[in-house]
mmCIF file with all atom_site columns, all heavy atoms in Angstrom:
data_model
loop_
_atom_site.group_PDB
_atom_site.id
_atom_site.type_symbol
_atom_site.label_atom_id
_atom_site.label_alt_id
_atom_site.label_comp_id
_atom_site.label_asym_id
_atom_site.label_entity_id
_atom_site.label_seq_id
_atom_site.pdbx_PDB_ins_code
_atom_site.Cartn_x
_atom_site.Cartn_y
_atom_site.Cartn_z
_atom_site.occupancy
_atom_site.B_iso_or_equiv
_atom_site.pdbx_formal_charge
_atom_site.auth_seq_id
_atom_site.auth_comp_id
_atom_site.auth_asym_id
_atom_site.auth_atom_id
_atom_site.pdbx_PDB_model_num
ATOM 1  N N   . GLU A 1 404 ? -0.623  19.848 35.216 1.00 98.00 ? 404 GLU A N   1
ATOM 2  C CA  . GLU A 1 404 ? 0.339   20.815 34.666 1.00 98.00 ? 404 GLU A CA  1
ATOM 3  C C   . GLU A 1 404 ? -0.002  21.132 33.209 1.00 98.00 ? 404 GLU A C   1
ATOM 4  O O   . GLU A 1 404 ? 0.037   22.287 32.778 1.00 98.00 ? 404 GLU A O   1
ATOM 5  C CB  . GLU A 1 404 ? 1.772   20.248 34.739 1.00 98.00 ? 404 GLU A CB  1
ATOM 6  C CG  . GLU A 1 404 ? 2.330   20.163 36.149 1.00 98.00 ? 404 GLU A CG  1
ATOM 7  C CD  . GLU A 1 404 ? 2.212   21.484 36.889 1.00 98.00 ? 404 GLU A CD  1
ATOM 8  O OE1 . GLU A 1 404 ? 2.614   22.510 36.318 1.00 98.00 ? 404 GLU A OE1 1
ATOM 9  O OE2 . GLU A 1 404 ? 1.682   21.491 38.032 1.00 98.00 ? 404 GLU A OE2 1
ATOM 10 N N   . ALA A 1 405 ? -0.328  20.075 32.454 1.00 98.00 ? 405 ALA A N   1
ATOM 11 C CA  . ALA A 1 405 ? -0.623  20.255 31.026 1.00 98.00 ? 405 ALA A CA  1
ATOM 12 C C   . ALA A 1 405 ? -1.885  21.095 30.827 1.00 98.00 ? 405 ALA A C   1
ATOM 13 O O   . ALA A 1 405 ? -1.947  21.950 29.940 1.00 98.00 ? 405 ALA A O   1
ATOM 14 C CB  . ALA A 1 405 ? -0.774  18.899 30.348 1.00 98.00 ? 405 ALA A CB  1
ATOM 15 N N   . ILE A 1 406 ? -2.903  20.865 31.672 1.00 98.00 ? 406 ILE A N   1
ATOM 16 C CA  . ILE A 1 406 ? -4.139  21.649 31.548 1.00 98.00 ? 406 ILE A CA  1
ATOM 17 C C   . ILE A 1 406 ? -3.846  23.124 31.827 1.00 98.00 ? 406 ILE A C   1
ATOM 18 O O   . ILE A 1 406 ? -4.323  24.016 31.129 1.00 98.00 ? 406 ILE A O   1
ATOM 19 C CB  . ILE A 1 406 ? -5.260  21.111 32.489 1.00 98.00 ? 406 ILE A CB  1
ATOM 20 C CG1 . ILE A 1 406 ? -5.718  19.727 32.029 1.00 98.00 ? 406 ILE A CG1 1
ATOM 21 C CG2 . ILE A 1 406 ? -6.445  22.084 32.531 1.00 98.00 ? 406 ILE A CG2 1
ATOM 22 C CD1 . ILE A 1 406 ? -6.724  19.049 32.948 1.00 98.00 ? 406 ILE A CD1 1
ATOM 23 N N   . LYS A 1 407 ? -3.000  23.359 32.851 1.00 98.00 ? 407 LYS A N   1
ATOM 24 C CA  . LYS A 1 407 ? -2.640  24.754 33.171 1.00 98.00 ? 407 LYS A CA  1
ATOM 25 C C   . LYS A 1 407 ? -1.937  25.420 31.990 1.00 98.00 ? 407 LYS A C   1
ATOM 26 O O   . LYS A 1 407 ? -2.123  26.596 31.729 1.00 98.00 ? 407 LYS A O   1
ATOM 27 C CB  . LYS A 1 407 ? -1.717  24.790 34.392 1.00 98.00 ? 407 LYS A CB  1
ATOM 28 C CG  . LYS A 1 407 ? -2.469  24.834 35.708 1.00 98.00 ? 407 LYS A CG  1
ATOM 29 C CD  . LYS A 1 407 ? -1.480  25.055 36.847 1.00 98.00 ? 407 LYS A CD  1
ATOM 30 C CE  . LYS A 1 407 ? -1.849  24.163 38.022 1.00 98.00 ? 407 LYS A CE  1
ATOM 31 N NZ  . LYS A 1 407 ? -0.695  23.792 38.859 1.00 98.00 ? 407 LYS A NZ  1
ATOM 32 N N   . ALA A 1 408 ? -1.110  24.639 31.297 1.00 98.00 ? 408 ALA A N   1
ATOM 33 C CA  . ALA A 1 408 ? -0.323  25.215 30.202 1.00 98.00 ? 408 ALA A CA  1
ATOM 34 C C   . ALA A 1 408 ? -1.103  25.306 28.891 1.00 98.00 ? 408 ALA A C   1
ATOM 35 O O   . ALA A 1 408 ? -0.652  25.934 27.938 1.00 98.00 ? 408 ALA A O   1
ATOM 36 C CB  . ALA A 1 408 ? 0.936   24.370 29.994 1.00 98.00 ? 408 ALA A CB  1
ATOM 37 N N   . TYR A 1 409 ? -2.254  24.654 28.823 1.00 98.00 ? 409 TYR A N   1
ATOM 38 C CA  . TYR A 1 409 ? -3.079  24.643 27.599 1.00 98.00 ? 409 TYR A CA  1
ATOM 39 C C   . TYR A 1 409 ? -3.889  25.946 27.587 1.00 98.00 ? 409 TYR A C   1
ATOM 40 O O   . TYR A 1 409 ? -4.746  26.144 28.445 1.00 98.00 ? 409 TYR A O   1
ATOM 41 C CB  . TYR A 1 409 ? -4.025  23.446 27.652 1.00 98.00 ? 409 TYR A CB  1
ATOM 42 C CG  . TYR A 1 409 ? -4.387  22.824 26.317 1.00 98.00 ? 409 TYR A CG  1
ATOM 43 C CD1 . TYR A 1 409 ? -4.641  21.458 26.227 1.00 98.00 ? 409 TYR A CD1 1
ATOM 44 C CD2 . TYR A 1 409 ? -4.514  23.577 25.161 1.00 98.00 ? 409 TYR A CD2 1
ATOM 45 C CE1 . TYR A 1 409 ? -4.982  20.845 25.025 1.00 98.00 ? 409 TYR A CE1 1
ATOM 46 C CE2 . TYR A 1 409 ? -4.850  22.973 23.956 1.00 98.00 ? 409 TYR A CE2 1
ATOM 47 C CZ  . TYR A 1 409 ? -5.086  21.613 23.893 1.00 98.00 ? 409 TYR A CZ  1
ATOM 48 O OH  . TYR A 1 409 ? -5.425  21.027 22.704 1.00 98.00 ? 409 TYR A OH  1
ATOM 49 N N   . LYS A 1 410 ? -3.592  26.837 26.659 1.00 98.00 ? 410 LYS A N   1
ATOM 50 C CA  . LYS A 1 410 ? -4.303  28.118 26.656 1.00 98.00 ? 410 LYS A CA  1
ATOM 51 C C   . LYS A 1 410 ? -5.320  28.156 25.520 1.00 98.00 ? 410 LYS A C   1
ATOM 52 O O   . LYS A 1 410 ? -4.948  28.178 24.338 1.00 98.00 ? 410 LYS A O   1
ATOM 53 C CB  . LYS A 1 410 ? -3.316  29.280 26.469 1.00 98.00 ? 410 LYS A CB  1
ATOM 54 C CG  . LYS A 1 410 ? -2.290  29.382 27.590 1.00 98.00 ? 410 LYS A CG  1
ATOM 55 C CD  . LYS A 1 410 ? -2.804  30.251 28.728 1.00 98.00 ? 410 LYS A CD  1
ATOM 56 C CE  . LYS A 1 410 ? -1.831  30.298 29.897 1.00 98.00 ? 410 LYS A CE  1
ATOM 57 N NZ  . LYS A 1 410 ? -1.872  29.128 30.793 1.00 98.00 ? 410 LYS A NZ  1
ATOM 58 N N   . ILE A 1 411 ? -6.598  28.118 25.888 1.00 97.00 ? 411 ILE A N   1
ATOM 59 C CA  . ILE A 1 411 ? -7.651  28.227 24.879 1.00 97.00 ? 411 ILE A CA  1
ATOM 60 C C   . ILE A 1 411 ? -8.573  29.378 25.258 1.00 97.00 ? 411 ILE A C   1
ATOM 61 O O   . ILE A 1 411 ? -9.123  29.390 26.361 1.00 97.00 ? 411 ILE A O   1
ATOM 62 C CB  . ILE A 1 411 ? -8.473  26.923 24.760 1.00 97.00 ? 411 ILE A CB  1
ATOM 63 C CG1 . ILE A 1 411 ? -7.546  25.736 24.439 1.00 97.00 ? 411 ILE A CG1 1
ATOM 64 C CG2 . ILE A 1 411 ? -9.562  27.066 23.680 1.00 97.00 ? 411 ILE A CG2 1
ATOM 65 C CD1 . ILE A 1 411 ? -8.257  24.418 24.241 1.00 97.00 ? 411 ILE A CD1 1
ATOM 66 N N   . GLU A 1 412 ? -8.705  30.337 24.373 1.00 97.00 ? 412 GLU A N   1
ATOM 67 C CA  . GLU A 1 412 ? -9.619  31.458 24.614 1.00 97.00 ? 412 GLU A CA  1
ATOM 68 C C   . GLU A 1 412 ? -10.532 31.643 23.415 1.00 97.00 ? 412 GLU A C   1
ATOM 69 O O   . GLU A 1 412 ? -10.148 31.344 22.286 1.00 97.00 ? 412 GLU A O   1
ATOM 70 C CB  . GLU A 1 412 ? -8.817  32.742 24.852 1.00 97.00 ? 412 GLU A CB  1
ATOM 71 C CG  . GLU A 1 412 ? -8.295  32.844 26.276 1.00 97.00 ? 412 GLU A CG  1
ATOM 72 C CD  . GLU A 1 412 ? -7.215  33.912 26.444 1.00 97.00 ? 412 GLU A CD  1
ATOM 73 O OE1 . GLU A 1 412 ? -6.948  34.647 25.471 1.00 97.00 ? 412 GLU A OE1 1
ATOM 74 O OE2 . GLU A 1 412 ? -6.643  33.986 27.542 1.00 97.00 ? 412 GLU A OE2 1
ATOM 75 N N   . GLY A 1 413 ? -11.735 32.117 23.695 1.00 96.00 ? 413 GLY A N   1
ATOM 76 C CA  . GLY A 1 413 ? -12.698 32.351 22.618 1.00 96.00 ? 413 GLY A CA  1
ATOM 77 C C   . GLY A 1 413 ? -13.883 31.405 22.704 1.00 96.00 ? 413 GLY A C   1
ATOM 78 O O   . GLY A 1 413 ? -14.972 31.725 22.259 1.00 96.00 ? 413 GLY A O   1
ATOM 79 N N   . ILE A 1 414 ? -13.634 30.210 23.252 1.00 96.00 ? 414 ILE A N   1
ATOM 80 C CA  . ILE A 1 414 ? -14.725 29.255 23.457 1.00 96.00 ? 414 ILE A CA  1
ATOM 81 C C   . ILE A 1 414 ? -14.523 28.572 24.806 1.00 96.00 ? 414 ILE A C   1
ATOM 82 O O   . ILE A 1 414 ? -13.406 28.538 25.316 1.00 96.00 ? 414 ILE A O   1
ATOM 83 C CB  . ILE A 1 414 ? -14.740 28.148 22.372 1.00 96.00 ? 414 ILE A CB  1
ATOM 84 C CG1 . ILE A 1 414 ? -13.339 27.537 22.235 1.00 96.00 ? 414 ILE A CG1 1
ATOM 85 C CG2 . ILE A 1 414 ? -15.242 28.636 21.033 1.00 96.00 ? 414 ILE A CG2 1
ATOM 86 C CD1 . ILE A 1 414 ? -13.365 26.179 21.617 1.00 96.00 ? 414 ILE A CD1 1
ATOM 87 N N   . ALA A 1 415 ? -15.628 28.035 25.337 1.00 96.00 ? 415 ALA A N   1
ATOM 88 C CA  . ALA A 1 415 ? -15.502 27.257 26.574 1.00 96.00 ? 415 ALA A CA  1
ATOM 89 C C   . ALA A 1 415 ? -15.117 25.827 26.187 1.00 96.00 ? 415 ALA A C   1
ATOM 90 O O   . ALA A 1 415 ? -15.493 25.349 25.121 1.00 96.00 ? 415 ALA A O   1
ATOM 91 C CB  . ALA A 1 415 ? -16.836 27.251 27.307 1.00 96.00 ? 415 ALA A CB  1
#
Side-chain angles (χ1 to χ4, degrees):
E404 289 308 310
I406 293 175
K407 273 187 222 152
Y409 212 148
K410 298 271 176 280
I411 303 183
E412 279 165 6
I414 50 159

